[in-house]
Amino acid sequence: MSVDPALGLVYLPTGNATPDYVGMHRSAESNRYSTSIVALDIKTGVRRWNFQTLHHDVFDLDVPAQPVLFDWPMSNGSKVPAVAQPTKQGYIYILDRRTGEPLTKVVEQRAPKGLIAGEDYSPTQPAQLGFPNMIPPILREKDMWGATAFDQLWCRIRFRQLDYRGLYTPPSLKGSLQFPGNMGFLNWGSVSIDQQRGIMITNAEYMPIETRLLPRAEADRQMVETGSHVSFQPQQGTPYGISTP
């Protein structure tokens, strides 16, 4: 979290509602505040504003790092108290830290819809268009790599087998390619801002993952046979577990 003592606000980055990849059971409050920046009054704890970076997050793309406070230069020479928030999907949101209003262009863009009955997929997702981002081009079959020709061929075959429709491809029973994976394009460490030079510095990583939803009976059987481990999440209390090998 980050704090502005002068404004009396604390800025909280939030995770996505648990479990990560199924959201049909979530409350209205979870859908409102998950994967967001929430500003609270330091003295009372009352919410002053919130800004959501991803609607109905079933991708484990929680807001991964602390907001960074700085002064945003306006075209007329004045400065606005601002907050920069990096996200796993590669966008860096620039918001007025007094109100949560974007200081650069943010639009809602159409998002892929999944096929899981009862899941409340968001038809659109926010996109930061008024500030540089770290999102690479959409993956293509020819981008697949292998140490040998056989490895590359297998990767191309696997790419065709998986569901992949770009950013925000939802989990499926067939198996989906998620890029960015749950480590994100941006993750821990946030960004650093040199206001004298007008430079923002960040780290980045580009690691896709496979996701495959497992019906409850199959997930329970795998839990008994193998136990829970990093590439399998039972997601108890929902109709699906998930494999993320």
Side-chain angles (χ1 to χ4, degrees):
M1 64 186 73
S2 299
V3 175
D4 185 332
L7 291 177
L9 293 176
V10 57
Y11 304 92
L12 309 176
T14 67
N16 63 322
T18 58
D20 294 325
Y21 298 96
V22 173
M24 56 192 66
H25 61 290
R26 294 176 185 170
S27 67
E29 290 77 13
S30 290
N31 277 323
R32 181 178 181 183
Y33 294 114
S34 70
T35 318
S36 298
I37 309 127
V38 182
L40 303 179
D41 186 288
I42 290 176
K43 293 182 178 179
T44 66
V46 171
R47 181 190 62 85
R48 295 272 285 273
W49 58 261
N50 61 284
F51 179 88
Q52 190 164 59
T53 66
L54 183 60
H55 309 316
H56 197 72
D57 183 356
V58 290
F59 311 94
D60 193 15
L61 295 180
D62 49 280
V63 179
Q66 71 273 22
V68 174
L69 311 186
F70 72 110
D71 293 326
W72 175 258
M74 303 294 286
S75 57
N76 62 5
S78 64
K79 294 183 178 180
V80 172
V83 57
Q85 181 61 69
T87 64
K88 284 185 176 181
Q89 53 267 47
Y91 292 121
I92 301 172
Y93 288 96
I94 309 296
L95 310 175
D96 186 322
R97 68 175 183 262
R98 299 167 298 185
T99 65
E101 291 298 316
L103 292 171
T104 56
K105 185 178 181 180
V106 176
V107 301
E108 291 285 331
Q109 294 183 337
R110 292 192 62 82
K113 184 176 181 180
L115 300 175
I116 301 301
E119 190 63 271
D120 186 23
Y121 301 102
S122 177
T124 65
Q125 293 292 355
Q128 165 66 279
L129 302 184
F131 192 79
N133 63 63
M134 306 296 288
I135 302 174
I138 190 169
L139 289 174
R140 303 159 298 175
E141 182 183 335
K142 67 179 182 179
D143 296 324
M144 301 301 106
W145 183 87
T148 69
F150 295 106
D151 295 325
Q152 186 184 59
L153 176 61
W154 168 244
C155 286
R156 289 189 173 198
I157 292 171
R158 190 65 185 138
F159 178 77
R160 283 184 168 272
Q161 289 174 335
L162 295 168
D163 182 20
Y164 176 66
R165 288 173 282 158
L167 195 65
Y168 307 132
T169 300
S172 67
L173 294 168
K174 170 186 175 182
S176 299
L177 177 63
Q178 183 179 319
F179 187 57
N182 53 15
M183 293 298 289
F185 295 143
L186 303 175
N187 204 309
W188 303 301
S190 199
V191 299
S192 297
I193 298 175
D194 183 332
Q195 293 204 203
Q196 283 191 321
R197 296 181 177 88
I199 295 173
M200 177 182 288
I201 302 168
T202 184
N203 60 346
E205 59 183 296
Y206 297 91
M207 183 178 69
I209 62 170
E210 291 183 26
T211 62
R212 186 170 70 87
L213 291 172
L214 308 175
R216 183 78 270 145
E218 182 180 349
D220 290 345
R221 183 168 63 253
Q222 182 162 330
M223 184 68 180
V224 171
E225 293 174 355
T226 65
S228 180
H229 54 84
V230 69
S231 65
F232 169 70
Q233 299 179 29
Q235 302 197 133
Q236 298 286 8
T238 76
Y240 301 97
I242 192 161
S243 173
T244 56

